[in-house]
Structures are given as structure tokens and as C-alpha cells.
Amino acid sequence: MALLLCAALAQAQGLSWDRGLRSDAPDRYTVVRGDTLWDISGRFLRHPWQWPEVWQVNPQIRNPHLIYPGDVVYLYDCNGRPCLGLERGQGEVRLSPEVRRVPVREAIEPIPLDAVRHFLRDHRVVDDPEALNELAYVVAGNDRRIISGAGDRIYARGELQRGSRYGIYRVGDRYQDGASGELLGLELVSIGRARADRSEDDIAIMEIVSANQEVRNDDIVLPLEERELVSEFVPRAPDHDVQGAILAVPGGVRFIGRLQVVTLDRGRRDGLEIGHVLQVEQQGERIIDPRTGESLRLPGTDAGLIMVFRPYEKVSYGLVMQATRTLEVGDRVHNPRRGVGVAQR
């Protein structure tokens, strides 16, 4: 797992011994399969997203950018501040005349990438709904079929290049700002992939290569994005104040827990970037003042952390990394608070 360590991180203001460390932080921890960097940091820090502030490159390690099962993470003092160091596990392979199969060591992930892999590769958001009218779309299935699947032939209308592969999408949620009513974007859900075989006029004959749902008439056909799977996340607070809300949950789920993907009503135009961490604040209960009869809302309660992994212009996809209670659509998000904890060392 790449840590993206650089001189800027080394010069960042670190945490003091009495700020941010867990009271039960271990001196050493041996990495096991299934760990993530977020999980490991959470064993030492009250706020795991602050790991860049305490992580230091051990100069004795030839390649400090990868952490593997069997490696040991340890806490130590560096110039009066706590730092996390790394000891490489001693994996030895004995050579002999016979052939042996040596398993490839897989570095641990920064976050559980399986939870976001589908959204990174397939989901898309269109900022301008009017642009949909200019895109190619499915007009019919073979043999007058209304729905089609992998291996079937379909017909699409639009400018499509012979021999090229395309993604097939269906319009999902319509994202709208709850306060201003501004349309923030349309979600496009990946249905499958198809190859354009030939065309006559503006009608293309395509073969469905793969499909995770039935392909239907009016589904959208788009060129596949040359998008490399992002696997390097450095969590950090946004550079300036961000105030927003959980806008939706892809799939229509109302109640939200840890490692679920959510849509936020803030995006690149609001300064959000990959790796930005936001605190979730659950709205307080609405009550009636027993004396005045006024309707009051109690103060909100911090209920979790969300890390942005796919920002668009006006909205973003985020992963719930921590949830102390069930989250809901409409819960507020803002810059994380840096809690102060006393570490008993």
C-alpha cells in the first residue's frame, strides 16, 4: 500500500504525546492479513485519519512504502513527538533443487477497496442533464426483445466507432440541493459493456460483452472511461471549511452504517478532493419547549466519519469509515474536529 510519504508530510505538525493518542495504544502491533492502514492507525490514534501526522519513514527500510502481513508497527518518540515506525517481517525462503511455489506478498490496503471498487470503475455522474440528449442510446434488441443480456445483439442510435467497446448505463438518482433546489447531477448506473460491430446510417449493431442487469431500450451508451483504479488514499481534513449533507445512498438504502457508500452534496467546486475526511453530525431531536410551546431542535451529535473517494463537480461519493450510530440521508457533514485525548504512557 503506497503511503505517498514526502517531505511535506515529514514537516507537518505532529501530535503531542497528550493529544490524539488512544489511552490503550500498544507499543507494537504485528500486521495480519485483512488489516487496512486505517484499522492499524486506529489502534494507536483516536482519529485514524491523522496517520500522516505521526507516520515516519524508518531509514533502515529499503522500501518503506509498502506494509505487509508480518511487519511490525511500533510507537516511538521522535524529538518529543509520537511517531509510528515499521519493522519489516523476516520472510525467508530456503532454496533447494525442487520447485517451490512462493505466494506473492500482498501489501495491505489503505481502506477496504472492495467497498468502493465498483463505484470507482463503473458509476458516473453527469453534471448537465441536457447532455444526455446528445448521447447514444439503445433503440431495440434482437428479435424484438425488450430486454437483452450477455451475448445478445442490440441496436443503438448515435455516433459509435466500429470495433470499440462502450459502457451501457441507466439513469439512477437525480441529485438536487435540498435548500436551493439546484440540480447537482444525474447518477448513471453501469448496466454492462458492449462492442460496436458495424453501423448503417446512425444505427449501430452491437454485441453485449457483459451485463450485470438486463439491457433495456433507452439505456445510454457511452465510451468507457480510461480510469485507473485509485488505490492510494492519504486521509486529511479539507483545507478550508466545508458544510454539507448526506444527499443519498446509491441503491436507495435509508439507514447507513460503516463501509457503506454515500453521496454528498458537495464536490470539487466546494474544494473536496480524494482523501478528504468529513465528520457526520446527526441532527438533534425536535422537541416542544414545555414553557413557551416553541418547537426546538436539540444540538447535533457527532456520529461518524466519511472519506471522499470520488469527487465530481457538484457532488461526491464517500465511504463511511466510522459510525457510532446509524446514519441517515440528510445528516450534516463538516470538517472533522481534532479531539484531545490523554495518553497514559
Side-chain angles (χ1 to χ4, degrees), residues 161-172:
Q161 195 109 20
R162 179 181 177 181
S164 298
R165 293 201 175 198
Y166 292 85
I168 303 174
Y169 299 87
R170 187 170 301 149
V171 176

Side-chain angles (χ1 to χ4, degrees), residues 1-162:
M1 195 290 305
L3 295 179
L4 300 181
L5 295 172
C6 60
L9 290 182
Q11 296 173 359
Q13 181 180 3
L15 301 178
S16 60
W17 284 100
D18 61 350
R19 179 181 175 86
L21 288 178
R22 289 173 57 111
S23 61
D24 59 349
D27 291 319
R28 302 167 65 85
Y29 173 73
T30 301
V31 179
V32 299
R33 188 175 299 277
D35 276 340
T36 64
L37 187 52
W38 185 286
D39 295 332
I40 295 172
S41 299
R43 293 178 177 272
F44 295 90
L45 308 177
R46 291 186 60 195
H47 303 283
W49 60 271
Q50 290 180 306
W51 82 61
E53 298 186 29
V54 295
W55 189 270
Q56 295 290 323
V57 177
N58 189 325
Q60 297 178 351
I61 302 174
R62 183 176 181 180
N63 183 1
H65 302 288
L66 300 177
I67 301 178
Y68 298 95
D71 293 346
V72 176
V73 179
Y74 63 93
L75 189 63
Y76 70 101
D77 185 287
C78 55
N79 299 322
R81 293 190 178 277
C83 294
L84 293 178
L86 181 69
E87 292 179 356
R88 287 278 179 235
Q90 300 299 318
E92 296 183 0
V93 178
R94 296 178 179 270
L95 301 179
S96 65
E98 62 182 320
V99 175
R100 292 175 181 265
R101 175 175 292 179
V102 181
V104 177
R105 298 183 74 197
E106 294 186 359
I108 66 169
E109 298 173 337
I111 63 173
L113 291 179
D114 285 343
V116 301
R117 201 178 304 273
H118 176 61
F119 290 88
L120 287 169
R121 287 179 172 169
D122 297 326
H123 272 53
R124 300 167 75 163
V125 172
V126 176
D127 299 321
D128 180 13
E130 298 298 327
L132 294 180
N133 297 328
E134 307 299 324
L135 302 178
Y137 57 97
V138 178
V139 294
N142 200 28
D143 295 330
R144 299 183 179 179
R145 292 180 182 175
I146 299 176
I147 59 176
S148 305
D152 290 339
R153 178 176 293 177
I154 58 173
Y155 300 89
R157 190 175 188 184
E159 296 184 5
L160 301 174
Q161 195 109 20
R162 179 181 177 181

Side-chain angles (χ1 to χ4, degrees), residues 163-238:
S164 298
R165 293 201 175 198
Y166 292 85
I168 303 174
Y169 299 87
R170 187 170 301 149
V171 176
D173 289 334
R174 183 183 180 91
Y175 297 136
Q176 198 165 5
D177 188 285
S180 67
E182 178 189 8
L183 182 62
L184 302 179
L186 292 178
E187 177 191 44
L188 297 185
V189 180
S190 173
I191 302 299
R193 299 187 177 192
R195 181 182 62 249
D197 290 337
R198 61 187 178 88
S199 62
E200 295 182 10
D201 297 327
D202 63 343
I203 305 295
I205 302 173
M206 308 185 75
E207 180 184 350
I208 301 175
V209 178
S210 62
N212 50 59
Q213 294 185 42
E214 299 90 350
V215 176
R216 301 175 182 174
N217 293 348
D218 203 32
D219 282 343
I220 296 167
V221 180
L222 280 173
L224 292 172
E225 288 183 318
E226 295 295 332
R227 187 191 305 171
E228 185 178 352
L229 178 62
V230 177
S231 60
E232 302 174 351
F233 296 92
V234 177
R236 62 202 185 280

